[in-house]
Short mmCIF file of all heavy atoms in Angstrom, two decimals:
data_model
loop_
_atom_site.label_atom_id
_atom_site.label_comp_id
_atom_site.label_asym_id
_atom_site.label_seq_id
_atom_site.Cartn_x
_atom_site.Cartn_y
_atom_site.Cartn_z
N PHE A 62 230.14 6.35 306.07
CA PHE A 62 231.00 6.06 304.91
C PHE A 62 230.22 6.28 303.61
O PHE A 62 230.75 6.84 302.65
CB PHE A 62 231.55 4.64 304.97
CG PHE A 62 232.44 4.39 306.15
CD1 PHE A 62 232.15 3.39 307.04
CD2 PHE A 62 233.57 5.16 306.37
CE1 PHE A 62 232.96 3.15 308.14
CE2 PHE A 62 234.39 4.94 307.45
CZ PHE A 62 234.09 3.92 308.35
N TYR A 77 228.37 2.48 294.76
CA TYR A 77 228.95 1.61 295.79
C TYR A 77 228.92 0.18 295.29
O TYR A 77 227.88 -0.36 294.97
CB TYR A 77 228.03 1.69 297.01
CG TYR A 77 228.65 1.86 298.35
CD1 TYR A 77 228.05 2.69 299.29
CD2 TYR A 77 229.80 1.19 298.73
CE1 TYR A 77 228.57 2.86 300.54
CE2 TYR A 77 230.33 1.35 299.98
CZ TYR A 77 229.71 2.18 300.88
OH TYR A 77 230.23 2.33 302.13
N LYS A 79 231.11 -2.54 296.89
CA LYS A 79 231.21 -3.40 298.08
C LYS A 79 231.96 -2.67 299.19
O LYS A 79 232.70 -1.72 298.94
CB LYS A 79 231.88 -4.72 297.77
CG LYS A 79 233.32 -4.64 297.33
CD LYS A 79 233.87 -6.04 297.05
CE LYS A 79 235.26 -5.97 296.47
NZ LYS A 79 235.80 -7.31 296.23
N GLN A 80 231.73 -3.15 300.40
CA GLN A 80 232.43 -2.62 301.56
C GLN A 80 232.62 -3.73 302.58
O GLN A 80 231.73 -4.56 302.79
CB GLN A 80 231.65 -1.48 302.21
CG GLN A 80 232.37 -0.91 303.42
CD GLN A 80 231.73 0.34 303.97
OE1 GLN A 80 230.67 0.75 303.52
NE2 GLN A 80 232.37 0.95 304.93
N HIS A 81 233.79 -3.73 303.20
CA HIS A 81 234.08 -4.64 304.31
C HIS A 81 234.32 -3.77 305.54
O HIS A 81 235.03 -2.77 305.46
CB HIS A 81 235.35 -5.46 304.04
CG HIS A 81 235.25 -6.31 302.83
ND1 HIS A 81 235.91 -6.01 301.67
CD2 HIS A 81 234.56 -7.44 302.60
CE1 HIS A 81 235.63 -6.92 300.76
NE2 HIS A 81 234.82 -7.80 301.30
N MET A 82 233.72 -4.16 306.66
CA MET A 82 233.91 -3.42 307.91
C MET A 82 234.23 -4.40 309.02
O MET A 82 233.58 -5.43 309.15
CB MET A 82 232.64 -2.64 308.26
CG MET A 82 232.27 -1.59 307.24
SD MET A 82 230.67 -0.82 307.55
CE MET A 82 231.00 0.04 309.06
N ARG A 83 235.26 -4.08 309.81
CA ARG A 83 235.62 -4.86 310.99
C ARG A 83 235.41 -3.97 312.20
O ARG A 83 236.04 -2.90 312.31
CB ARG A 83 237.08 -5.30 310.91
CG ARG A 83 237.36 -6.31 309.81
CD ARG A 83 238.86 -6.59 309.65
NE ARG A 83 239.62 -5.41 309.22
CZ ARG A 83 239.75 -5.00 307.96
NH1 ARG A 83 239.16 -5.67 306.99
NH2 ARG A 83 240.46 -3.93 307.67
N PHE A 84 234.55 -4.39 313.10
CA PHE A 84 234.27 -3.59 314.29
C PHE A 84 235.16 -4.05 315.43
O PHE A 84 235.28 -5.24 315.72
CB PHE A 84 232.79 -3.69 314.66
CG PHE A 84 231.94 -2.82 313.76
CD1 PHE A 84 231.50 -3.30 312.54
CD2 PHE A 84 231.63 -1.53 314.12
CE1 PHE A 84 230.76 -2.50 311.69
CE2 PHE A 84 230.89 -0.71 313.28
CZ PHE A 84 230.45 -1.20 312.06
N HIS A 85 235.79 -3.07 316.08
CA HIS A 85 236.73 -3.34 317.16
C HIS A 85 236.18 -2.93 318.52
O HIS A 85 236.62 -3.46 319.54
CB HIS A 85 238.05 -2.61 316.90
CG HIS A 85 238.66 -2.97 315.59
ND1 HIS A 85 239.40 -4.11 315.40
CD2 HIS A 85 238.62 -2.35 314.39
CE1 HIS A 85 239.79 -4.18 314.13
NE2 HIS A 85 239.33 -3.12 313.50
N THR A 97 236.49 8.36 308.16
CA THR A 97 237.44 8.82 307.15
C THR A 97 237.55 7.78 306.04
O THR A 97 237.58 6.59 306.31
CB THR A 97 238.84 9.03 307.79
OG1 THR A 97 238.72 9.96 308.86
CG2 THR A 97 239.84 9.55 306.76
N VAL A 98 237.58 8.26 304.80
CA VAL A 98 237.85 7.40 303.65
C VAL A 98 239.11 7.92 302.97
O VAL A 98 239.31 9.13 302.87
CB VAL A 98 236.66 7.35 302.65
CG1 VAL A 98 235.44 6.73 303.30
CG2 VAL A 98 236.33 8.72 302.09
N THR A 99 239.97 6.99 302.53
CA THR A 99 241.23 7.35 301.89
C THR A 99 241.42 6.51 300.63
O THR A 99 241.31 5.28 300.68
CB THR A 99 242.42 7.10 302.85
OG1 THR A 99 242.19 7.83 304.06
CG2 THR A 99 243.73 7.54 302.23
N THR A 101 243.14 4.37 298.05
CA THR A 101 244.32 3.51 298.08
C THR A 101 244.73 3.01 296.70
O THR A 101 245.89 2.65 296.49
CB THR A 101 244.09 2.28 298.98
OG1 THR A 101 242.95 1.56 298.50
CG2 THR A 101 243.89 2.70 300.42
N ASN A 111 239.47 2.12 294.94
CA ASN A 111 239.55 1.40 296.20
C ASN A 111 239.87 2.41 297.31
O ASN A 111 240.70 3.31 297.10
CB ASN A 111 240.67 0.35 296.18
CG ASN A 111 240.38 -0.76 295.23
OD1 ASN A 111 240.51 -0.60 294.02
ND2 ASN A 111 239.98 -1.90 295.75
N LEU A 112 239.22 2.24 298.45
CA LEU A 112 239.44 3.17 299.57
C LEU A 112 239.54 2.40 300.88
O LEU A 112 238.86 1.38 301.06
CB LEU A 112 238.27 4.15 299.69
CG LEU A 112 237.95 4.98 298.46
CD1 LEU A 112 236.74 4.43 297.74
CD2 LEU A 112 237.72 6.43 298.82
N ASP A 113 240.38 2.90 301.77
CA ASP A 113 240.37 2.42 303.15
C ASP A 113 239.32 3.21 303.89
O ASP A 113 239.11 4.41 303.61
CB ASP A 113 241.73 2.67 303.83
CG ASP A 113 242.76 1.61 303.47
OD1 ASP A 113 242.37 0.51 303.01
OD2 ASP A 113 243.95 1.88 303.66
N THR A 114 238.65 2.57 304.84
CA THR A 114 237.65 3.23 305.66
C THR A 114 238.02 3.05 307.13
O THR A 114 238.54 2.01 307.53
CB THR A 114 236.25 2.65 305.40
OG1 THR A 114 236.25 1.25 305.68
CG2 THR A 114 235.81 2.86 303.96
N ARG A 115 237.75 4.09 307.91
CA ARG A 115 238.13 4.05 309.33
C ARG A 115 237.19 4.96 310.11
O ARG A 115 236.92 6.09 309.68
CB ARG A 115 239.57 4.52 309.46
CG ARG A 115 240.14 4.49 310.83
CD ARG A 115 241.62 4.90 310.77
NE ARG A 115 242.23 4.91 312.07
CZ ARG A 115 242.78 3.86 312.64
NH1 ARG A 115 242.81 2.71 312.02
NH2 ARG A 115 243.31 3.95 313.84
N CYS A 116 236.73 4.48 311.25
CA CYS A 116 235.90 5.30 312.14
C CYS A 116 236.52 5.26 313.53
O CYS A 116 236.79 4.18 314.06
CB CYS A 116 234.46 4.79 312.17
SG CYS A 116 233.38 5.78 313.25
N LEU A 123 239.63 3.30 318.12
CA LEU A 123 239.20 2.68 316.88
C LEU A 123 237.86 1.97 317.06
O LEU A 123 237.74 1.05 317.87
CB LEU A 123 240.25 1.68 316.39
CG LEU A 123 239.95 1.00 315.05
CD1 LEU A 123 239.82 2.01 313.92
CD2 LEU A 123 241.04 -0.03 314.75
N ILE A 124 236.87 2.41 316.31
CA ILE A 124 235.54 1.79 316.32
C ILE A 124 235.50 0.71 315.24
O ILE A 124 235.12 -0.42 315.50
CB ILE A 124 234.43 2.83 316.07
CG1 ILE A 124 234.50 3.98 317.08
CG2 ILE A 124 233.07 2.17 316.04
CD1 ILE A 124 234.28 3.58 318.52
N CYS A 125 235.87 1.07 314.02
CA CYS A 125 235.90 0.09 312.93
C CYS A 125 236.86 0.55 311.85
O CYS A 125 237.19 1.73 311.75
CB CYS A 125 234.51 -0.16 312.36
SG CYS A 125 233.84 1.17 311.38
N ASP A 126 237.29 -0.40 311.05
CA ASP A 126 238.08 -0.10 309.87
C ASP A 126 237.70 -1.10 308.79
O ASP A 126 236.99 -2.06 309.03
CB ASP A 126 239.58 -0.09 310.16
CG ASP A 126 240.11 -1.43 310.63
OD1 ASP A 126 239.33 -2.41 310.74
OD2 ASP A 126 241.31 -1.53 310.92
N GLY A 127 238.17 -0.83 307.59
CA GLY A 127 237.85 -1.72 306.49
C GLY A 127 238.22 -1.10 305.16
O GLY A 127 239.14 -0.29 305.08
N ASP A 128 237.48 -1.49 304.13
CA ASP A 128 237.76 -0.98 302.79
C ASP A 128 236.49 -0.96 301.98
O ASP A 128 235.50 -1.61 302.32
CB ASP A 128 238.84 -1.82 302.10
CG ASP A 128 238.43 -3.27 302.01
OD1 ASP A 128 237.74 -3.65 301.03
OD2 ASP A 128 238.78 -4.05 302.93
N ALA A 129 236.52 -0.17 300.93
CA ALA A 129 235.37 -0.04 300.03
C ALA A 129 235.85 -0.01 298.59
O ALA A 129 236.99 0.38 298.31
CB ALA A 129 234.59 1.23 300.34
N LEU A 130 234.99 -0.44 297.69
CA LEU A 130 235.24 -0.38 296.26
C LEU A 130 234.05 0.34 295.63
O LEU A 130 232.89 -0.03 295.88
CB LEU A 130 235.38 -1.79 295.67
CG LEU A 130 235.53 -1.87 294.15
CD1 LEU A 130 236.84 -1.22 293.70
CD2 LEU A 130 235.45 -3.31 293.68
#
Side-chain angles (χ1 to χ4, degrees):
F62 297 123
Y77 225 141
K79 64 180 174 178
Q80 180 172 6
H81 299 106
M82 297 172 67
R83 292 173 296 277
F84 283 85
H85 303 279
T97 303
V98 297
T99 303
T101 57
N111 292 76
L112 304 102
D113 279 341
T114 58
R115 182 176 179 87
C116 181
L123 182 61
I124 304 297
C125 72
D126 62 1
D128 57 87
L130 175 65

